[in-house]
Amino acid sequence: MTESDKLYQSWMVEGSYFNRMIDCGYSRNRWVEIALSYLPHEILEEHKEDLVFIALTECDACRLAPQYREREVIILSDHVFPVPGASEDHPTARYFFFVVLHEVAHAIRRHKSPRFDGLLNEENEAQEREADDLAYGWFNQHVEQENNPFLPPLSSSEVREAQERNQKLMQEKLGNV
């Protein structure tokens, strides 16, 4: 079992798990680190070699290196990252943590792709519910353990509001295409 100080070592430390796992740009890697701290230690321990997070924050495009293609690749959209100056209790940060945890749930449960695996709508919805349930569970378990009065549990209505905000942002960026 990896000790916590090694497992959660900063992405800035060459060769650390987070250094090999997180490639979201200098200004955003820390947010992914914080989100991953919401995962139970045993989950991160088990999947630390299987996950990689990428955002195109500081570049126009990227090539996925072969080392990345051997892992579960999670690509994070720029608009989902917390707003500048946000703290961990800010709505955009809370939603970001949920998104990361939700995608980790898909990865570790080895969920199938609706596009490539021919899933029925009901099967896809079941996978989405499972990913949501795990993400809420991990998030709220972390909040409970932290016992921080300024960090309340995450609710489905809070997530829905954030999803609506982000849909609006995407539509504005795409010009309602």
Side-chain angles (χ1 to χ4, degrees):
M1 180 103 154
T2 309
E3 295 175 31
S4 285
D5 62 331
K6 297 288 184 204
L7 184 62
Y8 293 97
Q9 198 169 41
S10 170
W11 68 271
M12 291 188 276
V13 175
E14 188 75 30
S16 70
Y17 291 110
F18 284 169
N19 180 264
R20 294 188 310 257
M21 185 187 298
I22 305 169
D23 191 5
C24 294
Y26 192 84
S27 62
R28 300 222 169 135
N29 285 350
R30 180 69 182 131
W31 281 115
V32 180
E33 280 186 18
I34 295 169
L36 292 173
S37 75
Y38 280 61
L39 282 174
H41 182 95
E42 62 275 6
I43 299 290
L44 185 57
E45 169 72 21
E46 182 178 346
H47 300 281
K48 65 184 181 268
E49 300 286 349
D50 302 329
L51 301 168
V52 64
F53 296 83
I54 296 173
L56 301 180
T57 305
E58 297 173 4
C59 61
D60 293 332
C62 75
R63 174 188 152 272
L64 292 181
Q67 295 82 352
Y68 285 161
R69 294 191 304 256
E70 296 169 0
R71 301 160 88 178
E72 289 283 341
V73 177
I74 298 170
I75 300 174
L76 301 168
S77 180
D78 280 347
H79 71 267
V80 79
F81 280 87
V83 296
S87 59
E88 200 170 329
D89 65 340
H90 191 275
T92 59
R94 291 168 58 82
Y95 181 63
F96 176 77
F97 301 151
F98 174 81
V99 167
V100 169
L101 296 172
H102 176 95
E103 295 305 325
V104 167
H106 281 307
I108 68 172
R109 292 294 194 204
R110 303 278 190 238
H111 284 168
K112 295 184 187 234
S113 165
R115 176 175 287 170
F116 299 112
D117 295 318
L119 289 183
L120 299 174
N121 193 42
E122 300 80 35
E123 293 170 314
N124 187 50
E125 287 175 9
Q127 288 184 163
E128 290 300 323
R129 279 191 304 277
E130 181 180 32
D132 282 351
D133 291 346
L134 284 168
Y136 283 120
W138 293 330
F139 187 103
N140 291 329
Q141 178 184 8
H142 175 80
V143 165
E144 186 178 317
Q145 288 170 345
E146 291 296 307
N147 196 25
N148 178 342
F150 301 105
L151 197 58
L154 187 66
S155 69
S156 58
S157 61
E158 182 180 354
V159 168
R160 265 194 311 279
E161 288 172 20
Q163 288 170 331
E164 289 169 8
R165 259 193 326 271
N166 280 337
Q167 283 294 322
K168 210 177 207 179
L169 278 173
M170 282 191 293
Q171 288 173 348
E172 288 171 8
K173 285 183 178 185
L174 295 173
N176 294 319
V177 174

Short mmCIF file of all heavy atoms in Angstrom, two decimals, residues 16 35 67 121-122 139:
data_model
loop_
_atom_site.label_atom_id
_atom_site.label_comp_id
_atom_site.label_asym_id
_atom_site.label_seq_id
_atom_site.Cartn_x
_atom_site.Cartn_y
_atom_site.Cartn_z
N SER A 16 6.21 11.49 -9.58
CA SER A 16 5.12 11.20 -8.65
C SER A 16 3.93 10.65 -9.42
O SER A 16 3.84 10.80 -10.65
CB SER A 16 4.71 12.46 -7.87
OG SER A 16 4.06 13.38 -8.72
N ALA A 35 -9.39 17.54 -6.45
CA ALA A 35 -10.52 16.67 -6.76
C ALA A 35 -10.19 15.21 -6.43
O ALA A 35 -11.02 14.49 -5.86
CB ALA A 35 -10.92 16.80 -8.23
N GLN A 67 1.97 6.26 -23.92
CA GLN A 67 1.85 5.98 -22.50
C GLN A 67 0.47 6.37 -21.97
O GLN A 67 -0.04 5.77 -21.04
CB GLN A 67 2.94 6.72 -21.71
CG GLN A 67 4.34 6.26 -22.02
CD GLN A 67 4.91 6.89 -23.30
OE1 GLN A 67 4.24 7.56 -24.05
NE2 GLN A 67 6.18 6.62 -23.53
N ASN A 121 -30.17 2.98 -24.70
CA ASN A 121 -30.34 4.17 -23.89
C ASN A 121 -30.46 3.82 -22.41
O ASN A 121 -29.86 4.47 -21.55
CB ASN A 121 -31.55 4.97 -24.37
CG ASN A 121 -31.57 6.36 -23.78
OD1 ASN A 121 -30.54 7.03 -23.71
ND2 ASN A 121 -32.75 6.80 -23.37
N GLU A 122 -31.21 2.77 -22.09
CA GLU A 122 -31.41 2.36 -20.69
C GLU A 122 -30.09 1.93 -20.06
O GLU A 122 -29.83 2.20 -18.88
CB GLU A 122 -32.42 1.21 -20.58
CG GLU A 122 -33.80 1.53 -21.10
CD GLU A 122 -33.92 1.44 -22.63
OE1 GLU A 122 -33.27 0.57 -23.25
OE2 GLU A 122 -34.65 2.26 -23.19
N PHE A 139 -17.74 12.33 -2.81
CA PHE A 139 -17.71 13.76 -2.46
C PHE A 139 -18.21 13.95 -1.03
O PHE A 139 -17.55 14.58 -0.20
CB PHE A 139 -18.59 14.55 -3.45
CG PHE A 139 -18.49 16.04 -3.28
CD1 PHE A 139 -17.73 16.80 -4.16
CD2 PHE A 139 -19.15 16.69 -2.26
CE1 PHE A 139 -17.63 18.17 -4.01
CE2 PHE A 139 -19.05 18.07 -2.10
CZ PHE A 139 -18.30 18.81 -2.99
#
